[in-house]
């Protein structure tokens, strides 16, 4: 899948609220003060996707407070959030 296609698919899945947050990602969200709504916004309006390791993608966007964030995800029938930075 191309980066453009990955970003498009992430945006579509996020807008349908098809987001699964792993335990690790939830811990990082708490530690870094990101909310679910903020991560959903960053994914819904993703500006860039970069291929990462093990079939995962780094998705770049802004949370609901306007902070830049990188969300590492796997794309399946839903978005599996692996970690948040």
């Amino acid at each position: 899948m191309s980066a453009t296609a990955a970003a498009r698919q992430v945006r579509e899945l996020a807008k349908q609220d098809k987001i699964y947050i792993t335990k690790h990602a939830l811990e990082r969200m708490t530690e870094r003060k990101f909310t679910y709504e903020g991560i959903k916004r960053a994914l819904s309006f993703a500006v860039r996707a970069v291929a990462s390791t093990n079939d995962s993608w780094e998705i770049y966007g802004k949370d609901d407070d306007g902070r830049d964030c990188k969300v590492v995800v796997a794309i399946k029938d839903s978005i599996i959030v692996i970690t948040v930075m």
Side-chain angles (χ1 to χ4, degrees):
M1 173 181 332
S2 71
T4 302
R8 183 180 316 113
Q9 188 171 4
V10 164
R11 288 191 297 266
E12 290 171 7
L13 289 169
K15 289 176 183 175
Q16 296 171 30
D17 208 24
K18 293 185 176 181
I19 302 169
Y20 173 78
I21 309 285
T22 63
K23 181 180 177 188
H24 173 80
L26 188 57
E27 290 169 354
R28 296 295 81 76
M29 286 169 62
T30 301
E31 175 184 298
R32 297 172 179 143
K33 300 189 182 357
F34 285 107
T35 64
Y36 175 82
E37 288 303 319
I39 296 305
K40 181 179 178 181
R41 187 195 186 290
L43 296 172
S44 295
F45 297 98
V47 295
R48 185 167 57 122
V50 177
S52 191
T53 59
N54 300 323
D55 295 324
S56 64
W57 291 87
E58 296 174 1
I59 305 298
Y60 294 85
K62 292 189 181 288
D63 73 357
D64 52 347
D65 290 329
R67 291 187 300 163
D68 290 327
C69 60
K70 175 171 73 171
V71 185
V72 180
V73 305
I75 304 169
K76 306 291 181 193
D77 292 336
S78 63
I79 301 164
I80 301 166
V81 178
I82 299 166
T83 195
V84 177
M85 296 169 237

